[in-house]
Amino acid sequence: MNDDLTNGSVSWESPSNIAIVKYWGKHGFQYPNNASISLTLSNAVTRTTINYRPKKEDGEVSIDFSFEGTNNAAFQVKIEKYLALLAKQYLPFITGFHLEIDSRNTFPHSSGIASSASSMSALALGLCDIEAMIAGIPYNTQQFLAKASTLARIGSGSASRSVYPHAAMWGKHPDIAGSSDEFAIGVEERLHPVFKSFHDDILIISADKKSVSSTAGHALMEDNPYSDSRYRQANDRTRQLYDILSGGDVDAFGKLAEDEALTLHALMMCSDPSYILMEEGSLSAIKAVRSFRAETKLPLYFTLDAGPNIHLLYPDEIKDSVAGFVDNELRSLCSDGTILKDHVGNGPKKTG
Ligand code: DP6
């Protein structure tokens, strides 16, 4: 390490993402059992600032972690373990510094929205940035993002996809050049403009804590009787979606998105133990979306993560028709009428 190391600070803002082909099932050092593709969101972001200063004794991870401005012991322990892992293999600088990490979300913690993708990607980007500065590593943008994506993946698989603008894919796929289990790759270059205009209105059907953590959910795939065919299906759908994203077929996109969401929930229903992650309101919203589509012929589609909330996906050109429908028919299904309006975005930003 350099002798003239100084104190410093970096700030990064990184968004959440919504998977269209779902990552569900993992192995080894946080590697996916199938490829996945997501759209990068814009409004649901984590802002993370890391103040760093050299410390006398090199050896242990040393951090102060605050979440939403308050010290958070549970998160601190989680982040210490994560940093100890990174220090061994990826970021040796970590043990030579004391890090003060402050992390804040723009979306409510109790909204039932998973924050691991935005929070772990924001932290990973900040750490990579510090490494590049103090070790003087001349990363180009692609290398920097691949490293940040790798570090984010180790924190949370879906976070690997959040470092890219518009859309990303993660997981080695024989037909997709450059794809990897180690890190996600950006697919924005091949994206048809219609998908850059996509909205994601998140209907908060329930703001309760998830009934099964992602980690426990992934583990259930090990004994799921359908896991092998599921992984094959997900890789086939990844290939299909990869082509749809450049071709711009919104209806094919929407059909695939809905099939994937319902497959994820079906997998959880037939796991042992079995989980039903939808609420009555989720089903009512799905039925209402399907009726709206049948009546209006407008391309409004849905997806869900591993929980009851419904993500409404649609191109910007139908936003006025969707707004009326959402207010009249869907808002009453939401907890306290809460809907988080988001859209496809430009990816992370360095803010300081
Ligand atoms: C249903 O990335 O939260 O949202 O790697 O254990 O942190 P860990 O899991 P996580 O799983 C996300 C699952 C999903 C689908 C997806 O985002 O691809």
Side-chain angles (χ1 to χ4, degrees), residues 19 23-24 26 30 116 156-158 161 214-215 218 264 305-306:
Y23 145 60
W24 200 241
K26 62 178 171 179
Q30 198 78 318
S116 66
S156 177
S158 55
R161 299 183 308 240
S214 293
T215 300
H218 288 290
L264 171 71
D305 271 341

Side-chain angles (χ1 to χ4, degrees), residues 207-229:
D208 293 349
K209 205 173 164 310
K210 288 188 191 175
S211 56
V212 58
S213 71
S214 293
T215 300
H218 288 290
L220 288 173
M221 284 301 283
E222 279 163 32
D223 293 322
N224 187 297
Y226 303 105
S227 56
D228 288 343
S229 55

Side-chain angles (χ1 to χ4, degrees), residues 7 28 59 67 82-83 124 136 179 183 210 221 233 250 262 310 327:
N7 302 348
F67 177 65
Y82 169 64
L83 294 180
S179 63
F183 50 82
K210 288 188 191 175
M221 284 301 283
Q233 175 193 56
V250 169
L262 296 175
I310 303 286
D327 280 337

